[in-house]
Each structure stands twice: as structure tokens, then as C-alpha cells.
Amino acid sequence: MADMTAPVTAPPTQEELLLRLSKVREGMEKAGLDYYLTAHTDNVYYLTNFSYIPFERPFF
């Protein structure tokens, strides 16, 4: 079993990112949603491994 207190220092694999997106899509389907929009930096990073710091209000 992995040590849950150890920090994660490696980026997620492509397979892990695809799994995360798949789970979001499954949740969307169950909720009857066509779109999912997130602007919170933690959510963007979790789903895409892209880290950014917004200096202004987010825009879409």
C-alpha cells in the first residue's frame, strides 16, 4: 500500500489523466450534463496537469 503522507513528486501518467477525465464524463452523464466548466486552479491542474496562476478574473 502506498504511503498516503508522502508527497507526490512525479507528474501523472497519460493513463491517469485519461482515467480522471473519464470519471468526470461518467459523472456528467449520470447528472445529465452536456458541459463541464472549471476555473479553479486545483481542478484544472488535476484534470490536465497544467499549472497556471491567474492574475485577473478568469475568462472563457
Side-chain angles (χ1 to χ4, degrees), residues 22-43:
S22 174
K23 289 180 179 181
V24 170
R25 290 180 180 126
E26 286 175 18
M28 289 173 58
E29 187 174 336
K30 287 180 184 176
L33 299 174
D34 293 324
Y35 301 97
Y36 174 80
L37 178 68
T38 185
H40 194 282
T41 55
D42 291 346
N43 294 336

Side-chain angles (χ1 to χ4, degrees), residues 2-56:
D3 180 4
M4 300 304 281
T5 60
V8 175
T9 57
T13 63
Q14 184 68 24
E15 291 80 18
E16 175 65 23
L17 290 172
L18 292 173
L19 178 64
R20 293 174 184 181
L21 289 171
S22 174
K23 289 180 179 181
V24 170
R25 290 180 180 126
E26 286 175 18
M28 289 173 58
E29 187 174 336
K30 287 180 184 176
L33 299 174
D34 293 324
Y35 301 97
Y36 174 80
L37 178 68
T38 185
H40 194 282
T41 55
D42 291 346
N43 294 336
V44 171
Y45 182 75
Y46 181 79
L47 291 172
T48 66
N49 200 38
F50 175 73
S51 180
Y52 77 102
I53 300 172
F55 295 107
E56 305 244 352

